[in-house]
Amino acid sequence: MDLEVISRQPASSPRPTPLLFVHGAWHGAWCWAEHYLDHFAAQGYAAHALSLRGHGRSAGRNRLRWTRLSDYVADVARVASQLASPPVLIGHSMGGAIVQKYLETRPAPAAVLVASVPPAGVRAATLRIARRHPLQFAKANVLLSLYPLVGTPDLAREAFFSPSLPDEKLRGYFAQLQDESYRAFLDMLVFNLPKPERVTTPVLVIGAAKDTIFRPDEIEGTARAYRTRPVMFPDMAHDLMLETGWQAAADRILAWLEEKGI
């Protein structure tokens, strides 16, 4: 299966450990290419972002509805195996769940969970969405399609962005959002939850105080599960890599990698 991978290389000799960015639901590799790939490449890292099957320009859109979370994990494993050395994995939202499942059975130098699905899954987030938008939630379940949950610019802003994000930016990002696998949603709801006790890789957990999908207490729970403390950004929402203050979170990741000698 053809998978889209967007890469940025440093101008001089790269650091020995590459980075592999994993997007969340409704997104693709494009969300990392906006700011993060160039920023990390400028600091000497070979930076790569894949579009999971059925996303972006990757194959598999016709089978997206029933794609499993384990299929996404296989995509990450495939791309990681093709890099010069095992990468640091950086996963956002659903991508964080994928990274957690990857780490259960595979080693990595380090991992970063950005506004990630918590080990407890998406039950609490799902209930909040159902209460706020019952009609869209009902439509999503009737159609077995998650797109109605983010299917207008206003819904996308509520889910992913702070009010400070300019409307022009919002429209550009909204135009690139897409449907998401209903089966992967069920996996994150109950059928294939992360098992932190199986993970030995050092993990950095990052969250946003204005996140309406995974709230600060859920981010704190994720950090406890991985025996660490979360780094919270007070003025940002769910899509930290696209928010106006994106560089603050990126630079915290860079500082942590430096602390780890990576």
Side-chain angles (χ1 to χ4, degrees), residues 181-192:
S181 166
Y182 192 83
R183 178 55 195 262
F185 159 67
L186 295 178
D187 284 340
M188 293 183 289
L189 186 66
V190 66
F191 291 119
N192 195 12

Side-chain angles (χ1 to χ4, degrees):
M1 177 178 292
D2 291 333
L3 295 175
E4 177 186 29
V5 179
I6 302 175
S7 300
R8 299 287 187 270
Q9 298 291 340
S12 57
S13 298
R15 296 174 187 248
T17 304
L19 310 180
L20 180 56
F21 294 85
V22 186
H23 65 80
W26 299 291
H27 291 60
W30 61 266
C31 70
W32 301 112
E34 180 75 5
H35 302 297
Y36 269 42
L37 295 186
D38 287 332
H39 188 67
F40 281 85
Q43 300 303 314
Y45 292 97
H48 311 274
L50 81 155
S51 288
L52 301 164
R53 66 183 68 189
H55 295 76
R57 296 180 180 177
S58 291
R61 187 70 65 97
N62 60 328
R63 298 184 296 278
L64 178 63
R65 177 178 294 174
W66 300 116
T67 299
R68 297 170 179 263
L69 199 68
S70 59
D71 296 322
Y72 292 152
V73 175
D75 293 341
V76 173
R78 177 182 166 192
V79 173
S81 72
Q82 296 170 349
L83 300 180
S85 59
V88 172
L89 299 171
I90 302 170
H92 172 252
S93 196
M94 181 184 75
I98 294 164
V99 168
Q100 291 175 71
K101 297 304 295 182
Y102 177 101
L103 296 175
E104 290 176 13
T105 57
R106 300 170 179 85
V112 183
L113 304 179
V114 181
S116 173
V117 172
V122 299
R123 181 175 180 272
T126 300
L127 290 174
R128 285 192 292 270
I129 292 170
R131 286 195 295 267
R132 287 198 303 265
H133 302 292
L135 293 180
Q136 287 87 347
F137 185 72
K139 185 176 181 180
N141 285 282
V142 169
L143 298 177
L144 304 181
S145 164
L146 300 187
Y147 186 74
L149 302 179
V150 298
T152 69
D154 285 344
L155 288 171
R157 183 183 288 280
E158 178 184 308
F160 303 128
F161 304 112
S162 300
S164 61
L165 185 79
D167 287 341
E168 180 181 0
K169 287 282 189 183
L170 173 66
R171 289 192 295 271
Y173 297 150
F174 172 73
Q176 298 179 83
L177 297 178
Q178 62 163 85
D179 201 2
E180 187 49 69
S181 166
Y182 192 83
R183 178 55 195 262
F185 159 67
L186 295 178
D187 284 340
M188 293 183 289
L189 186 66
V190 66
F191 291 119
N192 195 12
L193 299 180
K195 298 178 175 61
E197 66 276 8
R198 298 183 180 179
V199 176
T200 58
T201 299
V203 175
L204 173 65
V205 176
I206 288 178
K210 294 182 178 180
D211 192 338
T212 63
I213 297 181
F214 301 121
R215 293 184 173 176
D217 62 316
E218 292 170 283
I219 301 300
E220 291 169 4
T222 299
R224 283 195 302 272
Y226 289 97
R227 304 166 292 281
T228 188
R229 297 175 64 87
V231 177
M232 299 297 299
F233 290 88
D235 298 319
M236 299 176 73
H238 187 69
D239 274 15
L240 289 96
M241 66 286 186
L242 295 173
E243 283 274 80
T244 302
W246 64 268
Q247 188 171 340
D251 287 345
R252 183 63 187 88
I253 296 171
L254 284 166
W256 184 76
L257 293 175
E258 194 69 32
E259 292 168 11
K260 296 296 179 184
I262 298 172

